[in-house]
Amino acid sequence: SFHKSKGQHILKNPLLVDSIVQKAGIKSTDVILEIGPGTGNLTKKLLEAGKEVIAVELDSRMVLELQRRFQGTPYSNRLKVIQGDVLKTELPRFDICVANIPYQISSPLTFKLLFHPTSFRCAVIMYQREFAMRLVAQPGDNLYCRLSVNTQLYARVSHLLKVGKNNFRPPPKVDSSVVRIEPRKPQPQVNKKEWDGFLRVCFIRKNKTLGAIFRQKSVVSMLEKNFKTLQAVLASLNGSTGEAAVMDVGDQSMGLEDDDNEMEDDDEDMEMEEGQGGGGGEFKEKVMNVLKEGGFEEKRSSKLSQQEFLYLLSLFNKSGIHFS
Ligand code: SAM
């Protein structure tokens, strides 16, 4: 009696479990984090390979079953079970994460691991096949998307193993794949929110030109709002030297007069009257100039490499344009 909602598909093929453990490259000194150990088929092999296993399991019945399975064995003092939702649990330090996870938490769990405060060697995780292919997709691939770019900024990802649904009981509806995620060291020096906000805009439609996306009224007005907020913050931080801060941001056409709230309101009204994609708008032009400067106007996110995204973001930021 498994709970569908908890994604409980137990790995039944021992050869496959061996193969996952082998590909994970576990050292005998490793502290291993396992997520969703279930009845412990993978846990047992992890205990054989490493020094310690810390397993986070949501389902109390599974926790009991797991403890019962290893009670009185030489493994029991090297296994620590934490009962709870992994997404809400503060994770301990670990060297390597190996997990056959419930697929509904794929995305938040991946980012939780990528942003884990202490460094780890790698994570070897079973995902739904399509999610796995998105993680590893390269520019120009069909499945290349925001998830690919976002993940690959923080980690090297590689596809390790295709896993058919019949390796599980009960079999899930979809095929699976095991992926290796290796956090980059050092971690990239980008502002997470800024990067995420930027990619959200770029991938509004991945096959549209960036020119078309960044001309959209909703995008321009969001960026303009951020711009003005930042100007106001800089001005107040600098007090009487507010002028210098504004100039640093580097656009004379958006000078001090924009600190004037009445002017701001006027500008917005004018934008509203412009109608569909009509002509000017000082700020829109500012945004377009950044795209032109980098030669990005006719490019599409579906084909851009991570370096190109980083470069474009740096150009925006240099012009004082921010996404968070
Ligand atoms: N690892 C086992 C195996 O390979 O046979 C079971 C894997 S099963 C796909 C997923 C496991 O994760 C289940 O035991 C389920 O109870 C547990 N689980 C589901 N949601 C969870 C969550 N949010 N946090 C921790 N464990 C969770």
Side-chain angles (χ1 to χ4, degrees):
S1 63
F2 292 114
H3 280 206
K4 254 209 172 128
S5 61
K6 293 197 184 99
Q8 290 171 330
H9 300 281
I10 303 298
L11 268 175
K12 283 296 177 184
N13 177 352
L15 292 178
L16 177 65
V17 178
D18 283 340
S19 166
I20 293 172
V21 171
Q22 187 224 323
K23 285 191 185 266
I26 296 165
K27 299 177 185 164
S28 58
T29 51
D30 276 345
V31 174
I32 306 164
L33 173 69
E34 187 186 1
I35 295 150
T39 54
N41 291 347
L42 179 58
T43 318
K44 177 156 182 286
K45 311 266 176 166
L46 294 176
L47 284 164
E48 286 166 6
K51 185 179 98 180
E52 186 187 344
V53 174
I54 302 167
V56 185
E57 171 60 59
L58 179 64
D59 187 337
S60 57
R61 299 168 312 159
M62 291 288 189
V63 171
L64 276 178
E65 183 158 347
L66 198 66
Q67 277 161 345
R68 214 175 298 137
R69 179 168 182 173
F70 295 105
Q71 223 166 47
T73 76
Y75 299 132
S76 67
N77 60 346
R78 294 193 287 113
L79 171 64
K80 189 176 158 204
V81 184
I82 300 175
Q83 192 197 331
D85 178 346
V86 67
L87 298 178
K88 295 178 187 149
T89 303
E90 192 180 328
L91 298 177
R93 196 201 68 76
F94 60 92
D95 297 299
I96 180 169
C97 171
V98 184
N100 170 23
I101 62 169
Y103 295 151
Q104 63 269 26
I105 65 169
S106 296
S107 191
L109 176 69
T110 303
F111 286 99
K112 177 158 186 158
L113 291 175
L114 288 175
F115 300 149
H116 185 58
T118 64
S119 85
F120 58 95
R121 199 160 74 245
C122 72
V124 173
I125 298 181
M126 177 92 67
Y127 291 106
Q128 177 173 335
R129 175 79 47 82
E130 180 170 319
F131 189 92
M133 298 324 274
R134 284 180 191 275
L135 283 176
V136 303
Q138 296 297 307
D141 289 352
N142 248 340
L143 290 174
Y144 191 60
C145 61
R146 188 162 62 88
L147 176 70
S148 330
V149 187
N150 218 345
T151 313
Q152 291 173 35
L153 176 71
Y154 301 106
R156 299 159 177 276
V157 284
S158 52
H159 186 279
L160 288 185
L161 206 60
K162 286 188 170 184
V163 180
K165 34 180 167 272
N166 292 323
N167 291 290
F168 302 88
R169 291 289 172 276
K173 287 205 183 68
V174 290
D175 285 330
S176 302
S177 275
V178 179
V179 172
R180 179 189 172 88
I181 298 176
E182 196 185 328
R184 293 187 192 277
K185 285 169 197 155
Q187 282 285 294
Q189 294 302 302
V190 299
N191 177 319
K192 290 188 184 76
K193 279 194 174 160
E194 181 75 7
W195 171 251
D196 186 59
F198 169 66
L199 289 185
R200 278 176 198 275
V201 173
C202 293
F203 280 93
I204 285 175
R205 296 286 297 278
K206 70 172 182 175
N207 288 313
K208 239 180 171 178
T209 64
L210 291 173
I213 288 174
F214 280 90
R215 254 190 295 274
Q216 284 178 38
K217 199 158 249 180
S218 54
V219 173
V220 175
S221 65
M222 181 269 286
L223 294 177
E224 186 168 20
K225 210 185 263 170
N226 290 350
F227 184 83
K228 287 181 173 165
T229 305
L230 185 64
Q231 298 305 296
V233 171
L234 288 177
S236 72
L237 280 179
N238 285 293
S240 57
T241 60
E243 183 171 3
V246 172
M247 299 306 277
D248 270 347
V249 169
D251 186 338
Q252 272 139 354
S253 69
M254 295 293 289
L256 283 173
E257 71 271 26
D258 278 292
D259 287 346
D260 180 340
N261 280 325
E262 281 172 41
M263 287 287 291
E264 243 177 68
D265 290 340
D266 286 347
D267 281 357
E268 273 167 16
D269 288 343
M270 281 166 61
E271 281 271 327
M272 303 274 277
E273 281 158 23
E274 254 172 49
Q276 300 277 36
E282 218 177 344
F283 196 80
K284 186 196 276 180
E285 217 153 279
K286 183 179 168 67
V287 173
M288 284 303 131
N289 283 339
V290 173
L291 286 182
K292 278 181 203 144
E293 181 193 344
F296 286 101
E297 221 188 346
E298 297 303 323
K299 299 226 164 123
R300 294 157 212 276
S301 290
S302 57
K303 300 247 166 66
L304 285 191
S305 71
Q306 198 190 102
Q307 285 70 26
E308 289 174 296
F309 280 116
L310 281 169
Y311 176 54
L312 177 56
L313 179 58
S314 77
L315 291 181
F316 275 124
N317 288 172
K318 227 173 59 191
S319 298
I321 299 175
H322 289 271
F323 293 79
S324 66

